[in-house]
Amino acid sequence: DTVPFFIHEHLNFPDLFRPFSDLIRQAQQAMDISRLMGDFATGNNNDTRLVCREMRRNSTGCLKMKNQCEKCQEILSVDCSASNPAQAQLRQELKTALQMAEKFTKQYDELLKSYQQKMFNTSSLLSQLNQQFSWVSQLANHTQNDKQAYLQVFSVTSKTTDLDNSSKLGDTEVVVKLFDSDPMTMMVPKEVSWRRPKFMEIVAKKALDEFRKNNQE
Amino acid sequence: EETISANELQEMSTQGSKYIDEEIQNALKGMKEIKNLMGQTDEERQTLLSTLEKAKKQKEDAVKVTRDTEMKLKASPEVCNDTMTALWEECKPCLKQTCVKFYTRICRSGSPAVGHQLEEFLNQTSPFYIWIDGDRVDTLLENNQEQTHMLDDMEDRFSQVSRAMDKLFQSRLFSFEPPKPFFPFPFSSFRDNSFHKPRFLYPKSRVVR
């Protein structure tokens, strides 16, 4: 279980968290799915892509279309067993072996796709990890030393003019800093007194939300 | 209208820090959950990998038999040459037309010289190659190579991820012992002292209760 960090003298917040973002990024880069998707298209598209590639390279892919021409199909039906029975036998063996090999290749392909799915799952977990945690690492990047407070309140004032729509007259304006980040101004509705614990919860939540928004990668 | 003292500002900072600390802990808990999920995914991956290895062996054995038989066939003297050559001459124009149509319609990007290249290829091809399904064997071998490359690539990626994740999860954060009795947090509290009270200060019976 985790415990509050500030009661861990031996855990230095900046040192501890700074590398995290980089590590997660490294892992995400390794799982650059877009490139893999290009390499590993599925189903018929794969066949089409292969034929096109073969045709560009050496025209071999063209022979895949032999089934569409009657005379080409007839070549396959030529029976030479009378002139060379051993060769006919060998040809039959090749047909059988080819069928088996194609079948196993297809099965292997399916397994590879499942394996690829595992990659997608891992990649999505890494995205979650990044979403859930990168802000902590970014906070650590804004930290010069581990002795300072996570959040510092600089001023608390009541709003006396009504210049914008985001807040009302009498609302409380609080200027805070999260570690060494730039000061942020938060507004708290006047109904919540600064003496209530709820007040700082609202301020801290707003400050954190703004920090996350500003530091979204 | 009230003036807020420096002490009170500091106390507010403490309260705010407490909230941030909770959020950091929540993030860490989330990380631990993701770590567990990654562990599960990795176990499943390992199982799949061993299935893949068996399937690979089976496939490669079959490919080898195919290649060997093809070699034997190629080494044997060609038969029915006349019949095959006659059929091949009639097959070529149709094949060329079908291929060019396919290439123009489907492959789109590519060399405009494909028609000429194709004609040359067909003229060089032996009908015997078609008779023994040589094109299917070539495709099989090519797929075989591609699959090997694909698996190697995925394995490489997984090992990079694994290295990064090992470093990440080897952090002291995921292995430290419960805290020692001390309290270095620099702020005092005038509202909620219990929050700052270190655990060791509670009498044992109360902790149990």
Side-chain angles (χ1 to χ4, degrees):
Chain A
D1 288 339
T2 55
V3 290
F5 300 113
F6 51 75
I7 64 169
H8 279 274
E9 195 173 48
H10 59 296
L11 290 179
N12 175 302
F13 184 84
D15 288 351
L16 206 56
F17 289 109
R18 260 182 210 142
F20 278 34
S21 225
D22 274 347
L23 289 170
I24 297 172
R25 200 176 303 115
Q26 274 172 32
Q28 280 192 302
Q29 275 167 0
M31 289 272 153
D32 179 8
I33 287 175
S34 56
R35 190 165 71 79
L36 195 81
M37 285 292 275
D39 286 351
F40 201 49
T42 52
N44 290 334
N45 287 339
N46 194 30
D47 293 341
T48 309
R49 198 174 51 85
L50 199 67
V51 174
C52 290
R53 203 175 59 193
E54 281 179 349
M55 283 175 78
R56 258 178 231 121
R57 202 186 296 158
N58 58 13
S59 305
T60 321
C62 186
L63 296 179
K64 283 197 171 62
M65 284 161 224
K66 60 183 186 280
N67 293 338
Q68 292 179 40
C69 297
E70 196 186 332
K71 293 293 169 189
C72 304
Q73 277 181 290
E74 279 180 32
I75 296 176
L76 290 165
S77 319
V78 173
D79 183 4
C80 305
S81 55
S83 48
N84 190 340
Q87 194 188 52
Q89 171 67 25
L90 217 48
R91 186 178 178 239
Q92 189 50 49
E93 279 174 27
L94 178 64
K95 266 188 192 294
T96 313
L98 195 53
Q99 269 174 2
M100 289 296 280
E102 282 174 343
K103 187 181 111 187
F104 288 139
T105 300
K106 204 174 163 198
Q107 281 174 1
Y108 188 72
D109 208 47
E110 294 300 316
L111 284 170
L112 270 184
K113 277 177 193 149
S114 310
Y115 198 70
Q116 191 193 29
Q117 188 55 49
K118 294 278 167 244
M119 243 187 93
F120 294 157
N121 294 348
T122 305
S123 176
S124 119
L125 285 173
L126 285 170
S127 298
Q128 275 185 49
L129 200 61
N130 196 24
Q131 263 181 349
Q132 197 142 20
F133 202 73
S134 61
W135 66 272
V136 183
S137 200
Q138 281 152 6
L139 261 186
N141 284 335
H142 282 94
T143 313
Q144 298 306 316
N145 69 74
D146 62 325
K147 298 293 178 207
Q148 71 189 104
Y150 293 172
L151 182 142
Q152 277 181 286
V153 181
F154 286 95
S155 65
V156 180
T157 48
S158 184
K159 204 180 163 209
T160 50
T161 51
D162 195 8
L163 293 175
D164 59 79
N165 295 329
S166 60
S167 55
K168 293 177 289 187
L169 208 63
D171 283 355
T172 314
E173 191 179 87
V174 190
V175 178
V176 297
K177 257 175 89 167
L178 276 180
F179 289 96
D180 291 334
S181 65
D182 293 332
M184 294 182 270
T185 303
M186 306 292 133
M187 297 304 300
V188 182
K190 61 181 172 190
E191 292 76 22
V192 184
S193 158
W194 66 271
R195 291 183 180 280
R196 285 172 54 196
K198 179 87 184 155
F199 181 86
M200 272 320 290
E201 201 182 305
I202 293 172
V203 171
K205 187 180 182 314
K206 283 189 170 183
L208 202 54
D209 287 348
E210 190 160 322
F211 179 83
R212 282 174 178 150
K213 203 174 98 189
N214 294 341
N215 288 277
Q216 243 168 17
E217 284 186 329
Chain B
E1 296 302 317
E2 288 174 277
T3 308
I4 298 175
S5 71
N7 271 353
E8 284 166 330
L9 284 178
Q10 203 168 58
E11 172 54 23
M12 290 169 100
S13 301
T14 306
Q15 291 301 318
S17 294
K18 181 184 167 188
Y19 176 85
I20 305 290
D21 189 79
E22 280 167 5
E23 285 295 296
I24 293 173
Q25 285 190 73
N26 285 339
L28 267 186
K29 279 178 195 156
M31 267 188 94
K32 283 188 165 190
E33 279 165 24
I34 293 173
K35 183 191 171 206
N36 290 340
L37 283 174
M38 286 184 112
Q40 277 172 26
T41 305
D42 200 53
E43 274 174 28
E44 289 163 11
R45 182 182 75 85
Q46 295 289 351
T47 312
L48 187 56
L49 191 62
S50 91
T51 314
L52 259 170
E53 272 162 18
K54 280 178 205 151
K56 188 181 180 188
K57 167 112 185 43
Q58 203 174 26
K59 175 195 75 161
E60 281 178 350
D61 287 349
V63 170
K64 190 178 178 307
V65 173
T66 309
R67 283 191 77 168
D68 291 348
T69 318
E70 190 204 22
M71 298 286 269
K72 281 185 209 164
L73 248 180
K74 279 181 177 169
S76 71
E78 294 185 11
V79 288
C80 312
N81 264 348
D82 294 343
T83 321
M84 274 194 255
T85 308
L87 285 170
W88 179 231
E89 286 308 317
E90 289 181 82
C91 152
K92 273 195 280 186
C94 167
L95 199 54
K96 187 189 165 189
Q97 196 190 12
T98 314
C99 284
V100 169
K101 209 191 274 177
F102 173 87
Y103 192 79
T104 324
R105 221 180 55 228
I106 309 289
C107 303
R108 291 189 186 126
S109 65
S111 158
V114 69
H116 175 70
Q117 184 189 314
L118 185 60
E119 199 165 316
E120 216 168 274
F121 168 77
L122 293 177
N123 286 334
Q124 283 166 6
T125 303
S126 151
F128 185 71
Y129 177 78
I130 294 174
W131 187 69
I132 63 166
D133 279 318
D135 56 315
R136 272 171 71 188
V137 178
D138 285 347
T139 303
L140 181 79
L141 296 178
E142 186 153 348
N143 280 344
N144 195 29
Q145 263 187 351
E146 258 197 21
Q147 287 176 335
T148 305
H149 167 74
M150 186 62 64
L151 184 63
D152 288 349
D153 183 43
M154 286 199 276
E155 276 300 273
D156 186 46
R157 286 154 185 264
F158 270 119
S159 70
Q160 284 179 50
V161 172
S162 176
R163 276 199 297 275
M165 290 297 105
D166 279 351
K167 274 191 206 161
L168 188 90
F169 292 126
Q170 268 164 16
S171 159
R172 283 172 294 164
L173 273 177
F174 296 96
S175 57
F176 62 64
E177 292 295 308
K180 286 178 187 163
F182 65 82
F183 181 61
F185 198 58
F187 307 111
S188 63
S189 168
F190 62 77
R191 223 171 274 130
D192 181 14
N193 280 320
S194 64
F195 160 61
H196 291 289
K197 209 175 270 180
R199 287 180 188 183
F200 73 101
L201 289 180
Y202 291 113
K204 199 175 177 186
S205 60
R206 288 188 62 83
V207 173
V208 171
R209 197 178 301 150

